Each structure stands twice: as structure tokens, then as C-alpha cells.
Amino acid sequence: AGARFRDELIATANALAAPGKGLLAADESTGTIGKRFKGIDVENTEANRIRYRHLLFTTPELNKHISGVILFDETLRSKDSKGELLVKPLVESGIKLGIKVDKGLVDIPGTDGEQSTQGLDGLADRCKEYYSLGCRFAKWRAVYKISETAPSPTAILENAWALARYGAICQDNGLVPIIEPEILMDGEHSIERTAEITEVVQSAVYRAIRDQNLLLEGTLLKPNMVTPGSECKDRCTANDIAAYTVRTLQRTLPVSVPGVTFLSGGQSEEEATLNLNAMNAMPGAKKPWSLTFSYGRALQQSVLKAWKGDDKNVAAAQAALMARAKANGEAQMGKYGGGSGGDKSSLFVSNYSY
């Protein structure tokens, strides 16, 4: 896939996975950003969504630590109060534009509430348009849950095939696909069980990717970190999480993939940074990929609390974003010492959907 855009896809993937940088996931749907705003008592209007994302995108020197921003369709097309495209400051600072292209989740018949992702119909045309609007990468989220019966072979195969098909369509239209097979934290399962399931899921995904002839060098993986279930009594250290996560990647992820952009998955801001740092600081382990971040909640929680919907707080909110971006940039290089003031409250949401 993607033969026409081969060199550009490889260059884009490597730029996104650059040392000391990661991705800001700002692709919350209208409903999801509404939940975020509710927490700070801000009305979910288009004007407020534009004000908030303008704050994010105009943060001075954001490009020091952020290589790409994932957008929602509305945000890509929105204009600020001066009539300029909201994304203009990102483009001018060399930050790559990404776009969420999936259409959400539906239940898979014959399973115990397991889900697959919609959005393949018309995807080629959407990708072509997004490329013309300046986007150079895309995101598609598949979701798996862990229980006594899940994930089932049906859900594993269905989502693996769809992720690979999405990836091939993206590459044919010049977009680097971020492959996101997210295993939800919900449940009482151990970290060993998460590791086992993550291996099975990621192996199936890369088998499907191989079958559909994707250019691996022009892709990125956005997986969950390997953590215990949210209700598990046995909590783990950052070093435990790092060891299981890196081992899982070693067993499943081809060396030719340039980077791994982890999702935060409901971890607190500080946890997500410390766990990423532990992976990159781990001595002796084979890690041939860039291990970095693609955080939404874990980059924005402090920002929202600082902003509170008030324009007087924009500078403070931008400072909060830069503090988290800098901390995670340091973690990408294994140099984060902790204590950057990251929010320590859990961001876990049961059965999380965008």
C-alpha cells in the first residue's frame, strides 16, 4: 500500500516519532469534549470549543515537544475570531496535522457486548480530502475488553482486519495510519493477563497488516501500556509496567515500524509520564522503536483546570500544557525526574469511548 507516497509516508512517520517529541490527541468528538467541559462548568458550544483549541494550538514553543496533533473534523475546518484557520499556528510551527477518521463503535453480533469500529465506507474519499486540507496522518481506534470470555477470536479478527484495511486506504491517499488497538483497563485482571491478551491482539493486528501489504515504515502503533485492570488489588510499579510493555512489543512489533505512540488510557497525568519514562530509561532492553506519547486526557487535565473557560487564564493554561509536554518529551528520552506538577488524579472512565 502507499507506493505513490512511499517516501513521504516514511518521512512523516519518522518526523512524528522524533526524539523528545510526541503527539497531542485533541480529537475528542463533540460529545466527549462536552464531558471535559462539564468538569470545569463550561458550556459545550462551538465557540467554546474553538476558544479552547485556539488556546492549545497557539501555545508558544509547543513544537519543542509536540510533533503532531490529532484533530476532530470540526476542528480542522474551524476558524478563530480573526477568520484564520484554527490549525494555522500548528502548520506554521512545523507540527504535523492528524485526523480521526473512524466513525465510532458498534456491537459485534454474537459476542458478549464486544465492539468493532465503523468508518471504512467512503474512507478513501475522506482521506483524499483530508490530505488536500493539509493532514498527513490519521487515527482509527479499535477497542477490546478483557473478561473471562473476551476478547473473543471474532472480535480479535474483526478489529485486526479493519485496522489493516483502514491503514492500507490511508497510505494509498498519503496519510500515515496510526494503528490503535486499545485494550481497556476495565476489570480485575492481573498485569500478566493484560500482557497475554495484548500479545495476542497485537500479533493478530500485524498479521493482518502483513496480509494487506502495508508499508510498515510508514505506520505508527498506538497501543495501551500493559497495566493491571482498574479494579485489580495488586498494583504495579512503573518499572513493572515498563518491563511487561516492552516485552510485549519485543514479541509482536516489527523493527521496521518507526515509533510507538502510547495512549494514556485513563492513567493520571503523572502516572502516564512516569511509566513512559521507565520504558525509555530501562537499561539493556532491546527497544528499536521510538517509544513516545499520544496523550489526550494526560496532556489536557491540568490545562482544563487552569483555564476554567476564562480568557484571563489562557497564559496559565498554556503554561500547564507546556509543563506536561516538556515532562513527556523528557520521558521519551528517559530523562524525566518526576515532580513537574502533573495531576495525580485518575482519569479512568469505565468503558471509555471518544
Side-chain angles (χ1 to χ4, degrees):
R4 191 157 57 97
F5 295 96
R6 182 182 186 281
D7 292 346
E8 184 182 6
L9 291 167
I10 293 170
T12 298
N14 279 279
L16 292 170
K21 295 187 180 185
L23 307 182
L24 167 61
D27 59 323
E28 300 91 354
S29 66
T30 304
T32 298
I33 199 72
K35 293 173 192 170
R36 304 270 200 279
F37 284 177
K38 191 175 180 183
I40 57 168
D41 203 23
V42 170
E43 190 182 354
N44 184 18
T45 62
E46 185 179 7
N48 283 336
R49 293 193 294 273
I50 287 172
R51 285 172 59 231
Y52 176 61
R53 280 156 174 162
H54 183 261
L55 173 167
L56 297 177
F57 301 165
T58 57
T59 297
E61 300 189 318
L62 188 63
N63 61 350
K64 280 189 171 181
H65 311 293
I66 299 295
S67 55
V69 175
I70 310 173
L71 306 163
F72 187 60
D73 183 271
E74 175 189 86
T75 312
L76 179 64
R77 303 174 194 276
S78 292
K79 294 182 178 179
D80 64 19
S81 57
K82 295 176 183 172
E84 299 275 13
L85 283 171
L86 263 190
V87 297
K88 187 181 177 186
L90 300 176
V91 175
E92 289 178 342
S93 63
I95 293 174
K96 304 278 188 193
L97 304 184
I99 184 75
K100 169 189 164 83
V101 296
D102 70 66
K103 296 288 188 181
L105 304 170
V106 291
D107 286 352
I108 303 172
T111 68
D112 184 18
E114 294 181 275
Q115 295 180 305
S116 65
T117 308
Q118 302 181 97
L120 291 174
D121 287 355
L123 180 58
D125 289 337
R126 297 202 306 280
C127 287
K128 202 169 292 179
E129 184 192 13
Y130 287 139
Y131 185 92
S132 74
L133 292 171
C135 294
R136 290 299 177 266
F137 70 104
K139 194 199 86 163
W140 173 289
R141 178 176 178 254
V143 173
Y144 308 79
K145 64 179 184 178
I146 295 179
S147 71
E148 288 183 16
T149 57
S152 65
T154 302
I156 290 169
L157 290 172
E158 169 79 13
N159 280 305
W161 185 90
L163 279 166
R165 173 75 358 205
Y166 136 82
I169 293 169
C170 283
Q171 289 191 335
D172 267 358
N173 291 282
L175 302 181
V176 167
I178 291 183
I179 307 295
E180 184 177 5
E182 178 177 1
I183 295 161
L184 298 173
M185 292 169 65
D186 307 54
E188 299 178 354
H189 50 274
S190 66
I191 192 170
E192 291 86 357
R193 173 79 168 144
T194 307
E196 173 195 353
I197 295 300
T198 306
E199 276 187 39
V200 170
V201 165
Q202 288 181 7
S203 295
V205 168
Y206 279 92
R207 190 176 306 121
I209 283 173
R210 176 61 268 162
D211 289 345
Q212 299 196 43
N213 297 310
L214 269 72
L215 175 69
L216 286 168
E217 293 84 354
T219 65
L220 296 168
L221 173 66
K222 180 172 178 174
N224 52 283
M225 295 182 191
V226 177
T227 65
S230 58
E231 305 300 317
C232 180
K233 303 279 190 293
D234 299 323
R235 303 320 292 165
C236 293
T237 66
N239 286 338
D240 292 332
I241 290 166
Y244 276 103
T245 303
V246 169
R247 188 188 75 178
T248 300
L249 292 172
Q250 289 169 342
R251 292 177 174 181
T252 60
L253 184 61
V255 174
S256 50
V257 174
V260 179
T261 62
F262 288 101
L263 58 91
S264 52
Q267 300 175 78
S268 73
E269 288 183 341
E270 187 72 356
E271 275 179 329
T273 308
L274 289 170
N275 290 339
L276 179 62
N277 187 74
M279 285 180 231
N280 284 299
M282 189 190 300
K286 293 178 182 173
K287 297 168 286 186
W289 330 268
S290 167
L291 302 180
T292 190
F293 58 95
S294 177
Y295 294 166
R297 287 170 284 175
L299 277 173
Q300 296 183 55
Q301 182 75 357
S302 292
V303 182
L304 286 161
K305 286 184 176 180
W307 178 52
K308 301 185 183 112
D310 191 335
D311 288 344
K312 288 185 295 189
N313 297 329
V314 164
Q318 290 180 331
L321 176 58
M322 275 304 284
R324 295 318 312 151
K326 180 174 185 283
N328 285 297
E330 290 171 353
Q332 196 285 318
M333 298 186 286
K335 296 177 179 176
Y336 178 61
S340 72
D343 196 288
K344 294 180 174 62
S345 55
S346 171
L347 303 176
F348 173 71
V349 177
S350 179
N351 204 27
Y352 183 66
S353 65
Y354 259 55

